[in-house]
Amino acid sequence: MIAGLDIKEIIELALLLIATGALSGFLAGVFGIGGGAILVPVFYECFRLAGVPLEVRMPLCIGTSLAVIIPTSVSSFQAHYRRGAVDMTILRMWWLPIVIGVAAGSVVARYAPEKLFKIVFVAVAYSAAARLIFARQGWKFGDELPTGPLMRLYGFCVGILSTLMGIGGGLFSNLLMTFYGRPIHQAVATSSALAVLISIPGALGYIYAGWPAAATYPAVTALQVPFAFGYVSLIGAVLVMPMSLVTAPLGVRAAHAMSKRTLEMAFGCYLFIVGSRFVMSLLGGQ
C-alpha cells in the first residue's frame, strides 16, 4: 500500500494520467485551450480516488492543471507562431491586464469555497458551447476588437476567470475574438500564446494559495511535500507533462486542417460534455 492505494490502483492512475497528458496536449494544439478543460475533470477523479478531501480537491486540480499547461502552451504557441497565425497586437494589449487578473484569481483561490470553482467552470463552458454550436452570423459584439479600456477589462477578466478554472484562457479569448468577427483559427492560435501568460503566474499563485492545505490535512499524502507544493500536485504534473508535449504539435496540424465550422462544432460539443460533468458533481455533492 502506498498513500492508501494498492499497487494495482497506483498503476491504473498512472496510466490514466499519461493518457490524459496525450489527449490534453492534442487539444491544446487543436483548440488553443492549454488542455486544462480536460485536465481538471480527469484530475478531479484521480484525486477523489487518492482520498483528497472535497474541500480542497477542486483547487488542487486547477493548480496542477495550470502547472501542466506551462510546457504544453509554450509548445503550442511556438507551433502556431511559426505558421504566422498569432495576433501579436492583442498580446501586447492584454499581457499586463491578464497578469493582474491572474494575481487576483490566485488570492480568491486561497479563500473561496470549493463550489465557486465548479460554478465558474460550468457557467463559462456552457456559455462558450452555446456560442459555438448555435453560432449565427448576427451573434457579434462588433466588427473590430476595441482598443481602449474595454479591451484591457477583457484581458483582466480572461486572467481571473482562467485562474479560477485552471485553463489557459482559450475559452474566453476564443469566445471574445469570434464575437468580434475574428477567424476561429486566428483565435485558437492567439489563445495558445495567452495560455503562456496565464499558466506560469497562475501555477505560482496556487502554490501560494494551497500552502496551508498540507498542515490542515496532515493525513492526506497527496497534499504533502514532496508529492505536492501547495495546490500543485507534482505527481500529476510529472506524469501528464511528457505526453502533452509530444501531442501538442499534432493538434496544431489537425486544427489547421479543419474547416472553420468543424472546429467550432468540435470545440462546442467538447465544452458541453465537460461542463455537464461538473453539473452532476454540484448536484451530487461529489
Side-chain angles (χ1 to χ4, degrees), residues 128-209:
R131 165 67 178 89
L132 292 166
I133 293 173
F134 305 109
R136 298 289 184 272
Q137 291 300 316
W139 290 15
K140 290 169 52 173
F141 291 153
D143 294 325
E144 293 292 336
L145 284 161
T147 57
L150 179 59
M151 187 63 170
R152 292 179 175 81
L153 177 62
Y154 283 158
F156 176 81
C157 292
V158 168
I160 191 170
L161 292 175
S162 297
T163 306
L164 293 177
M165 284 183 70
I167 62 174
L171 288 182
F172 312 105
S173 52
N174 280 338
L175 199 60
L176 282 170
M177 291 179 71
T178 54
F179 266 129
Y180 282 99
R182 292 298 182 93
I184 184 67
H185 291 88
Q186 185 185 67
V188 165
T190 306
S191 295
S192 69
L194 298 176
V196 180
L197 293 175
I198 290 167
S199 58
I200 296 174
L204 293 174
Y206 270 81
I207 291 175
Y208 155 78

Side-chain angles (χ1 to χ4, degrees), residues 15 37 44 77 84 89-90 105 111 120 122 130 137 146 149 159 162 174 180 203 206 217 223 232-233 259 272 284:
L15 292 174
Y44 191 85
F77 165 64
T89 301
I90 292 178
Y111 303 104
V120 171
V122 170
Q137 291 300 316
S162 297
N174 280 338
Y180 282 99
Y206 270 81
Y217 300 97
L223 292 172
V232 173
S233 169
S259 69
F272 179 79

Side-chain angles (χ1 to χ4, degrees), residues 111-133:
Y111 303 104
E114 189 262 353
K115 283 187 177 181
L116 174 65
F117 299 95
K118 294 179 182 176
I119 291 170
V120 171
F121 200 106
V122 170
V124 176
Y126 274 4
S127 299
R131 165 67 178 89
L132 292 166
I133 293 173

Side-chain angles (χ1 to χ4, degrees), residues 197-256:
L197 293 175
I198 290 167
S199 58
I200 296 174
L204 293 174
Y206 270 81
I207 291 175
Y208 155 78
W211 204 255
T216 305
Y217 300 97
V220 181
T221 305
L223 292 172
Q224 307 303 314
V225 177
F227 299 102
F229 285 116
Y231 283 141
V232 173
S233 169
L234 298 186
I235 295 176
V238 167
L239 289 174
V240 166
M241 279 182 186
M243 285 304 296
S244 67
L245 289 173
V246 171
T247 57
L250 301 178
V252 172
R253 285 203 286 269
H256 286 273

Side-chain angles (χ1 to χ4, degrees), residues 15 17 36 46 52 65 84 95 127 135 149 167 195-196 205 215 220 248 263:
L15 292 174
L17 288 169
C46 292
V52 175
S65 171
W95 76 268
S127 299
I167 62 174
V196 180
V220 181
L263 192 57

